[in-house]
Amino acid sequence: MNLPPGYHHIQLDIIDSTNLEAKRLIQTGNINAPLVITAKSQTYGKGRLNRHWVSEPGNLFVSIVMQTQEESGKSNINNTLLPFCTAIAIGNTLSKFINSKPLYKWPNDVLVQEKKISGVLIETINKYIIIGIGINITTYPTQNTKLPATCLNEHTSRDIPLTEILESLVLNLDSKIKCNNSDVINEWMQSAYGLGKKIFIQQGKKELSGIFSGIDVNGWLIFKNDKGRRNAVSFGDISYKV
Ligand code: BT5
């Protein structure tokens, strides 16, 4: 496995969730970050807000554990824009293998031809950040998903080894987290899905709507409400008018 200098790797067979495994290692003090944990399949793949991530063998399930800025004493990890760095790293990796341009759905989904190919779950625990990434490679769920899904093999005839995808992903992420904020924002915006479109933002029971106009320096989603007033939100699920 060809990972950037300093990275460790644990390869698991079946696990409940690579993010949960990362948490256990952190809690028991058995962590040597940066650490890449991969599994062949997950029995309890997690999405955001305790949603389920369908985790069939053949797809990529990885959690990358890094120390936060304070703990490592480094100032070169872009914590604020980590979700966007991660989406870009996934997008750049997929672009190596397919012709369609991956697009980013705020905050960190990656779509290919308007279908979800990858999801990201970032969690923080005891001064460590766990970046959980699922990428559909060979299969994808065909029902019970909010967005239609897809997988890499639907967009290429080449059989790409998971190791090749993982190596590119970690390398891309390692370089993105060292970029400055404006570069990250600009790169993300160039492939933002739905710019200028009417969006609905679900925040629990509350729903906001407006025209999606970009992200600000903190990665908050900016939208213009129906009265033309600029608003920003830091969290929420986005859907688009059909
Ligand atoms: C995500 O959540 O998209 C984050 C998914 C993160 C999964 C990785 S795998 C490695 C690591 N270990 C874990 O346990 N998790 C991370 P969210 O935005 O909440 O989207 C979840 C929703 O996506 C579900 O409610 C479904 O609608 C849909 N979905 C579930 N599985 C899918 C899949 N394989 N492909 C596409 N969509 C899926």
Side-chain angles (χ1 to χ4, degrees), residues 22 52 55 59 67 70 112 126 161 177 184 199:
H52 175 57
S55 304
N59 294 332
Q67 287 183 311
E70 313 91 78
V112 172
N126 296 355
I177 56 174
V184 173
I199 54 170

Side-chain angles (χ1 to χ4, degrees), residues 16-20 42 44-49 51-55 59-63 108-109 116-121 131-136 139-141 144-150 237:
D16 47 1
S17 145
T18 53
N19 269 38
L20 285 175
Q42 302 185 120
Y44 190 69
K46 294 198 308 163
R48 295 178 301 137
L49 303 169
R51 288 187 286 238
H52 175 57
W53 184 254
V54 176
S55 304
N59 294 332
L60 186 71
F61 313 106
V62 54
S63 294
N108 48 17
D109 283 345
K116 183 160 167 169
I117 194 165
S118 175
V120 177
L121 172 66
I131 305 161
I133 302 169
I135 306 181
N136 298 329
T139 58
Y140 57 88
N144 300 328
T145 60
K146 212 168 167 195
L147 280 174
T150 189
D237 277 318

Side-chain angles (χ1 to χ4, degrees), residues 3-16:
L3 296 175
Y7 278 76
H8 307 273
H9 181 212
I10 297 176
Q11 160 77 56
L12 302 163
D13 215 23
I14 300 180
I15 193 79
D16 47 1

